Each structure stands twice: as C-alpha cells, then as structure tokens.
C-alpha cells in the first residue's frame, strides 16, 4: 500500500482483475490482506468468525508492531470500532440513541441553517471585494476562486457533529488538523504519537468541560451513563468514542461532499439530469458513495480462524483492510459500466447497494446523518451556484496523503 495515498481506482482495477481478495503490505513491512470484491466484502464484513478487537491481531499481540506505527490507533483505540460481542453492543447502544431516525430528522433544520450560512459566506467571498479564498499554490486567472473543501464541505459536518457532541467551537480547527494526522498513512512515528497525545488531551478537555457543565449533548449523556453505572463506559472508552465520532462524523461526510462536487463538475450531463428533475440529489449521494467512496481502505478486521473468502485463505490473526473504493467499482456487482459515474442506474429501481458505509454489526451509525447532510449541501450549493465549476484540472488537485481516506486536500472552484 502506498503510504502517500493518491487516487486508488487504477490500482484497484488491477487488483480486482486478479481476484476479490489481495495480499498487501502495510507501512513498516506489515503483511496484511485486503478484501476488495463487493460480494466477498459483504460476506467478510458480516462473517461470525471475523473480529474487530486488537487481541486478535497476531503481530500486535506478539509485540511486532512498534509505537508510532501510523495505523496503530485504528487497532488500539477503545471504542465501538474495536469492540466485539457484548462490549460492542454496550458501546453502540449508548451512542445509537443520538442517531435514531427521529433524532436525525430533528437535525435537519440545523443542517439547513448551517448550509445557508456557509453559502452566504461563499457568495461574499466571490463578491465585490474580489478577494480570492483559496489556500496553497493555486493561481487562476479570471473569476474569484474559493476553496470549497475548506469553506463549505468541511465546516458543515464538523459543525453538526461537534454540536451533537457538545464540542465548543474553539476546538474545531484543532480537532480537524489532528484527525487528518491520525488518518494519514505517510506520517512519521514521532508525529503519529504526538497527534495521538494531542487529540487525547483535547478530547479530555472536552470531557472535562461537559462534566463541569453538562448539556443536552451526546458527550454529557455518555458521561452521565458512566457515572450512573461505572462499568458501562470507562474513561478510555469515553475518549475513544469521542475520537471515533469526531473522525467518522466529519471526515467521511467531508470527503463525500467534496467527491460529489468533483464528480458533478466533471460530468455536467449528470448534473443536468438532476437540475432537470430526471435524477435526485439522493441519487448523486449514492452514486458518489459507490463510484468514489469517501473511504478507500478501512483498517482493521481479523479472522479468528483461517478463513477462506472467495477461494483465498486469510490466515487467522491477519489484519484485513475493507476495500470500499474497490468494491464500489466491482463490475461483477455493479455491471460493466461500474467505472462510469451514471445516475441513470437508479432510474429503473434500486441498484446494488454500495458498501461504503459498512455492512453488518459495524454498519455506520451515522449513515443517515451523513446522507442527509450531503444531500442538503449539494442541492443548496448547486441551486445557489448552478454554474459552479472546479477551477483546475483533476491532476492539479492534491490527493489525501492516506490510503484510508479517499479525496483531495483542496477543491478550488469558481462560483460562476
């Protein structure tokens, strides 16, 4: 796996041509496997002999994984994504109350409000003052260029998840920066350890603030559950749960919105279908999840015995990556045009459901919220700025320095 990340799709296609399961080498020469075929991944994600707990990671248990390994947090953080059985059900039940259909729908007004505020800010940035709002070495002649990722796709999900958790605004930028470092796969051991220390310290401050001043937020509810019944949620589990919620609650939706805007701008015929009412914004979200998944390869799961998946043996205790971006373009599941961004595949009825937000017991709790945020964001964005377009070529967009997240670091657009 290339620790510098980049666009995964060409490499995924080569791997898929060889089979649904691929041996891979992780940073530090750690041997692993990736499940990349749609059907194989769906089977693997819900297999009863596949675990999430790090005690099943043979190399880690035997002391062969050093501190500072860039992927170690994914294996060792204490929370839902690394728990199995009763522990997983206990932790998930504490958080799931915040993501019921009723609670998510109750957030719709706030999502619309934040979206409107951000769009007003974009309009002001492209207004008479003529000041470009774009970071980095991107120079474009002509219309004012705005970094849509930083000024729209990022603050929307970050604001919503932080409000849900009761995280004060002063922590938002720092948490995003540290989240980026934690999901980076090209980071040095020293920087990886520092990022983990720093985010634990920030989330400890958040927990302390909510302990002193509890509110109607999820963090306060988790603290109350811990205090009412001390064995329900440990201090490490509280911090781990907050960490997972912050990263999953904004990074995935941030990448989803960014990738959807890129896709629509590069496929104006598909954007026209939506604008003419021949496809829906929900179709855009589903097709983006499939065609350019916000998560490329997610760590880790471990077979609890030697397991055969699609004819390939995955040895017990092997760390396995879930290849969401590859599965989304698997022609065996999505047809010969799987590598085409095509909203019409939803016109004749439900298409094969993508796996980009997981499957089985660990299916993403916030999937409904992510879909709602992205749908509202895209509809309002292109209604306000119908001629919005990416201001540089695809090759000029710097990619994520990670094979976990799948997106670009900036998205310079002209508002039209």
């Amino acid at each position: 796996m290339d620790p510098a990340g980049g666009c995964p799709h060409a490499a995924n296609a080569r791997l898929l041509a060889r089979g649904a399961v691929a041996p891979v080498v992780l940073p530090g020469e750690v041997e692993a496997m990736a499940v990349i075929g749609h059907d194989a991944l769906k089977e693997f994600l819900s297999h009863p002999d596949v675990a999430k707990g790090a005690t099943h990671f043979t190399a880690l248990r035997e002391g062969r994984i050093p501190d500072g390994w860039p992927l170690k947090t994914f294996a060792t953080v204490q929370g839902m994504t690394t728990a199995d059985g009763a522990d997983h059900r206990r932790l998930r039940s504490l958080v799931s109350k915040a993501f019921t259909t009723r609670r998510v729908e109750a957030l719709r007004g706030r999502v619309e409000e934040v979206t409107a505020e951000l769009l007003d800010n974009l309009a002001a940035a492209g207004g008479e003052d003529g000041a470009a709002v774009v970071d980095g070495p991107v120079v474009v002649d002509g219309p004012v260029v705005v970094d849509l990722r930083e000024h729209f796709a990022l603050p929307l999900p970050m604001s919503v998840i932080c409000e849900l958790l009761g995280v004060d605004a002063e922590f938002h930028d720092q948490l995003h920066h540290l989240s980026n470092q934690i999901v980076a796969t090209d980071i040095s051991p020293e920087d990886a350890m520092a990022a983990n220390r720093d985010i634990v310290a920030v989330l400890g401050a958040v927990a302390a603030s909510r302990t002193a001043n509890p509110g109607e937020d999820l963090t306060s509810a988790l603290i109350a559950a811990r205090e009412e019944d001390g064995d329900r949620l440990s201090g490490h589990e509280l911090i781990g749960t907050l960490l997972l919620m912050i990263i999953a609650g904004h990074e995935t939706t941030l990448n989803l919105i960014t990738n959807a805007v890129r896709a629509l701008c590069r496929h104006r015929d598909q954007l026209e279908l939506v604008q003419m009412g021949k496809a829906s914004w929900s179709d855009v979200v589903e097709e983006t999840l499939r065609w350019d998944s916000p998560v490329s390869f997610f760590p880790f799961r471990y077979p609890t015995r030697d397991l055969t998946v699609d004819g390939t043996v995955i040895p017990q205790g092997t760390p396995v990556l879930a290849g969401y971006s590859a599965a989304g373009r698997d022609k065996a599941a999505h047809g010969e045009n799987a590598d085409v961004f095509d909203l019409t595949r939803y016109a004749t009825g439900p298409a094969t459901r993508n796996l980009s937000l997981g499957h089985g017991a660990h299916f993403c709790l916030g999937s409904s919220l992510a879909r709602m945020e992205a749908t509202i964001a895209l509809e309002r964005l292109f209604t306000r700025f119908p001629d919005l377009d990416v201001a540089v070529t695809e090759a000029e967009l710097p990619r994520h320095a990670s094979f976990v997240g799948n997106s670009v670091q900036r998205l310079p657009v002209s508002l039209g």
Side-chain angles (χ1 to χ4, degrees):
M1 304 298 294
D2 182 0
C7 182
H9 298 300
N12 288 346
R14 290 193 295 270
L15 288 175
L16 278 167
R18 297 167 58 184
V21 181
V24 297
V25 180
L26 302 177
E29 301 301 310
V30 176
E31 294 183 357
M33 302 287 275
V35 181
I36 55 177
H38 174 94
D39 291 345
L41 182 57
K42 187 174 182 180
E43 174 193 349
F44 184 78
L45 292 176
S46 58
H47 201 288
D49 295 322
V50 173
K52 293 281 280 179
T55 57
H56 300 282
F57 186 173
T58 300
L60 181 66
R61 189 177 64 248
E62 294 177 351
R64 292 187 277 123
I65 302 297
D67 290 338
W69 188 53
L71 296 165
K72 193 169 186 178
T73 297
F74 287 102
T76 59
V77 63
Q78 294 188 37
M80 287 181 295
T81 65
T82 55
D84 296 303
D87 268 348
H88 175 250
R89 290 190 291 272
R90 170 177 59 88
L91 292 166
R92 192 176 176 96
S93 68
L94 289 170
V95 177
S96 63
K97 298 180 182 65
F99 294 98
T100 63
T101 301
R102 181 179 62 82
R103 293 291 292 274
V104 169
E105 189 58 33
L107 291 170
R108 179 178 294 275
R110 182 56 181 150
V111 172
E112 292 174 340
E113 182 181 341
V114 173
T115 300
E117 292 172 359
L118 294 171
L119 291 175
D120 286 345
N121 292 340
L122 287 179
E128 295 180 351
D129 60 6
V133 186
V134 60
D135 296 324
V138 179
V139 179
V140 180
D141 294 328
V144 170
V145 174
V146 178
D147 184 350
L148 194 76
R149 183 175 175 87
E150 179 179 352
H151 297 285
F152 182 71
L154 166 60
L156 173 58
M158 179 59 94
S159 296
V160 173
I161 194 62
C162 284
E163 286 187 26
L164 191 64
L165 291 172
V167 176
D168 296 332
E170 64 186 277
F171 296 118
H172 291 194
D173 289 344
Q174 191 176 9
L175 285 172
H176 173 63
H177 170 70
L178 293 170
S179 296
N180 267 339
Q181 290 189 295
I182 286 172
V183 301
T185 49
D186 68 341
I187 193 170
S188 71
E190 296 77 16
D191 288 343
M193 293 171 70
N196 276 278
R197 285 195 302 269
D198 290 348
I199 202 165
V200 167
V202 172
L203 294 175
V206 170
S209 174
R210 296 282 69 79
T211 300
N213 301 287
E216 298 297 320
D217 55 79
L218 182 55
T219 303
S220 298
L222 292 173
I223 292 168
R226 182 182 65 178
E227 292 177 345
E228 290 166 7
D229 188 351
D231 66 354
R232 291 198 70 201
L233 190 70
S234 71
H236 288 302
E237 288 172 337
L238 173 62
I239 297 300
T241 297
L242 294 179
L243 187 153
L244 295 168
M245 295 282 288
I246 289 289
I247 294 177
H250 90 279
E251 287 281 353
T252 302
T253 309
L254 162 60
N255 290 349
L256 173 56
I257 295 171
T258 301
N259 293 357
V261 172
R262 287 167 51 225
L264 290 171
C265 290
R266 303 299 190 206
H267 302 83
R268 305 300 294 196
D269 60 324
Q270 299 300 300
L271 174 58
E272 186 176 342
L273 289 177
V274 188
Q275 292 172 329
M276 295 175 63
K278 296 181 179 180
S280 71
W281 292 106
S282 294
D283 293 339
V284 174
V285 171
E286 292 309 307
E287 183 67 345
T288 304
L289 285 168
R290 181 200 69 81
W291 184 75
D292 203 11
S293 171
V295 176
S296 192
F297 290 91
F298 192 78
F300 289 116
R301 284 173 169 80
Y302 320 95
T304 58
R305 62 173 177 84
D306 290 356
L307 192 64
T308 300
V309 178
D310 197 54
T312 298
V313 175
I314 305 177
Q316 177 180 345
T318 301
V320 180
L321 301 172
Y324 294 122
S325 62
R329 297 198 185 190
D330 183 0
K331 293 182 179 181
H334 301 288
E336 284 301 311
N337 71 336
D339 57 352
V340 177
F341 184 79
D342 179 15
L343 301 180
T344 65
R345 70 178 71 243
Y346 304 93
T348 57
T352 300
R353 190 169 182 82
N354 69 78
L355 300 173
S356 290
L357 294 172
H359 178 71
H362 288 270
F363 180 76
C364 176
L365 264 178
S367 60
S368 296
L369 179 58
R371 285 182 164 103
M372 182 180 76
E373 288 177 325
T375 302
I376 291 172
L378 294 168
E379 179 179 10
R380 301 301 169 84
L381 175 67
F382 282 99
T383 298
R384 183 76 168 267
F385 305 111
D387 298 320
L388 178 145
D389 205 358
V390 178
V392 297
T393 66
E394 191 70 18
E396 293 175 277
L397 294 173
R399 300 288 309 192
H400 258 325
S402 172
F403 55 75
V404 178
N406 174 42
S407 194
V408 294
Q409 295 179 23
R410 295 190 296 275
L411 187 62
V413 301
S414 58
L415 300 178

